[in-house]
Amino acid sequence: MPELPEVETVRMGLEPVLAGRVLSKVLLRRADLRFPFAPKFAERLTGARILALTRRAKYLVAELSTGDTLVMHLGMTGRFHVQVRGEAAPHLIGDYEYATPGGDKHAHVVFDMEDGTRVIYSDPRRFGYMLLIAPDEIAMHPALHGLGVEPLSDALDAAYLARHAAGRKTDLKAFLMDQRTIAGLGNIYVLEALHAAGLKPSRGASTLATRSGKPTPAAERLVAAIKDVLKAAVLAGGSTLRDYRQADGSTGSFQNTFRVYGRAGEPCLTPGCRGIVRRSVQGGRSSFFCPVCQH
DNA sequence: ACTGGATCCTGCCTGC
DNA sequence: TGCAGGCAGGATCCAG
């Protein structure tokens, strides 16, 4: 599920539960997610206080009092559930619940906080992962090192886009999906932003720059569209596809606002446009765009 | 150096 | 109803 708006929504939901609190027990119900857990993963977390819960790109980042940093990626299907003490379902009470926390066979990691709150990480496809990074590794760790700019920061502007797009042979969609350029966009928000900017996904990325490397009008429109789409999605609590839920069980609503994603065959929603949204496949995954108003 | 394709894993939906 | 096939929001690895 999660692109930047969803991860930010999860972060906001978990922050009051985790930030400032101490981990009293960490249970791993298997040895790996996408990658094996670091040696002594649970031991190194136990007793640590979470100083802050931040987000970088699609990563949740927990700074710990021990100096270690817990970096979590939700992959495609990762999610967190929060159980507040006293509110757990009756069949979950006691250590027995660790067999299948919340009755969820994909509950892979259980964090118990000192105040009795329990946070469960569940991930059916196990494309997610958790890294525990020591202080001397954090600066150059491959997960974080080399990430591109945060799209909602001032570092993303038309000049930045033009500089990175100049001379590239790839198309706009692949260019925007590349986390080394802009960190946090995924399939949905790339397609929504391209539609809002009136640019088709198969257009060459190099068209964002003039021959002298200056931003074109397309680059200006694209930057504005990316920021607008992401801001609106964060405000809506992200998108809820399938049965994805936020930490508190509520659902985001931005999916109701999709203008092209998943709308093949339906009318384009650009005012005055009579186009029909088309689906294509780029790089093995779906694209959606309007052949009339995107060029 | 870049680029496109295959790939990890499970669940769900569609169509026969 | 059962089952095969296709598809899914990510990101890395590999070959060309």
Side-chain angles (χ1 to χ4, degrees):
Chain A
M1 49 69 46
E3 304 181 34
L4 186 152
E6 291 74 37
V7 177
E8 182 60 23
T9 299
V10 170
R11 189 200 69 76
M12 290 190 287
L14 288 180
E15 185 175 40
V17 174
L18 295 182
R21 310 299 166 88
V22 171
L23 288 154
S24 59
K25 185 171 179 181
V26 175
L27 181 83
L28 305 181
R29 301 186 63 249
R30 52 178 299 132
D32 62 75
L33 293 172
R34 183 185 179 106
F35 307 117
F37 289 102
K40 312 248 177 180
F41 181 90
E43 291 88 333
R44 283 167 66 189
L45 287 175
T46 303
R49 185 181 298 276
I50 298 175
L51 302 178
L53 185 67
T54 60
R55 179 192 57 75
R56 172 73 172 107
K58 298 172 192 170
Y59 293 101
L60 289 168
V61 180
E63 296 171 39
L64 305 175
S65 57
T66 54
D68 288 335
T69 305
L70 174 62
V71 174
M72 298 174 281
H73 196 293
L74 303 177
M76 303 253 275
T77 53
R79 58 195 69 179
F80 285 96
H81 303 272
V82 174
Q83 290 177 1
V84 177
R85 173 150 54 190
E87 292 182 3
H91 67 281
L92 296 179
I93 302 298
D95 276 346
Y96 171 77
E97 71 200 75
Y98 282 126
T100 50
D104 176 1
K105 65 175 175 173
H106 299 298
H108 306 309
V109 184
V110 181
F111 298 107
D112 278 335
M113 311 308 292
E114 220 168 45
D115 65 1
T117 303
R118 172 166 290 174
V119 175
I120 299 169
Y121 178 74
S122 173
D123 186 354
R125 274 175 87 178
R126 301 203 306 276
F127 279 18
Y129 49 94
M130 295 190 186
L131 308 170
L132 194 51
I133 306 178
D136 61 329
E137 301 172 328
I138 192 75
M140 292 304 291
H141 195 282
L144 301 176
H145 183 70
L147 282 178
V149 296
E150 283 290 323
L152 288 175
S153 77
D154 290 341
L156 176 64
D157 59 19
Y160 176 90
L161 268 196
R163 195 160 61 243
H164 285 261
R168 293 287 298 274
K169 291 203 178 134
T170 193
D171 56 40
L172 274 180
K173 181 178 179 189
F175 174 71
L176 294 176
M177 296 272 291
D178 188 342
Q179 303 297 300
R180 293 168 299 184
T181 310
I182 303 175
L185 297 177
N187 204 35
I188 289 179
Y189 294 105
V190 162
L191 294 172
E192 291 296 317
L194 285 170
H195 179 260
L199 302 170
K200 62 181 177 185
S202 60
R203 175 178 170 132
S206 63
T207 63
L208 298 179
T210 65
R211 225 174 325 181
S212 58
K214 297 275 191 275
T216 60
E220 305 277 2
R221 293 205 306 279
L222 185 53
V223 166
I226 290 169
K227 292 175 188 278
D228 286 350
V229 166
L230 291 179
K231 280 182 200 165
V234 170
L235 278 178
S239 304
T240 301
L241 268 62
R242 303 173 182 219
D243 62 345
Y244 179 78
R245 296 290 172 123
Q246 292 166 22
D248 65 357
S250 63
T251 57
S253 65
F254 193 74
Q255 68 281 3
N256 302 323
T257 314
F258 290 163
R259 300 180 78 79
V260 282
Y261 186 83
R263 297 191 60 248
E266 296 177 41
C268 177
L269 296 177
T270 298
C273 181
R274 316 268 302 208
I276 301 293
V277 175
R278 278 233 296 262
R279 176 181 180 271
S280 68
V281 175
Q282 286 178 280
R285 47 191 352 126
S286 292
S287 282
F288 299 91
F289 64 100
C290 172
V292 174
C293 69
Q294 290 180 257
H295 302 286

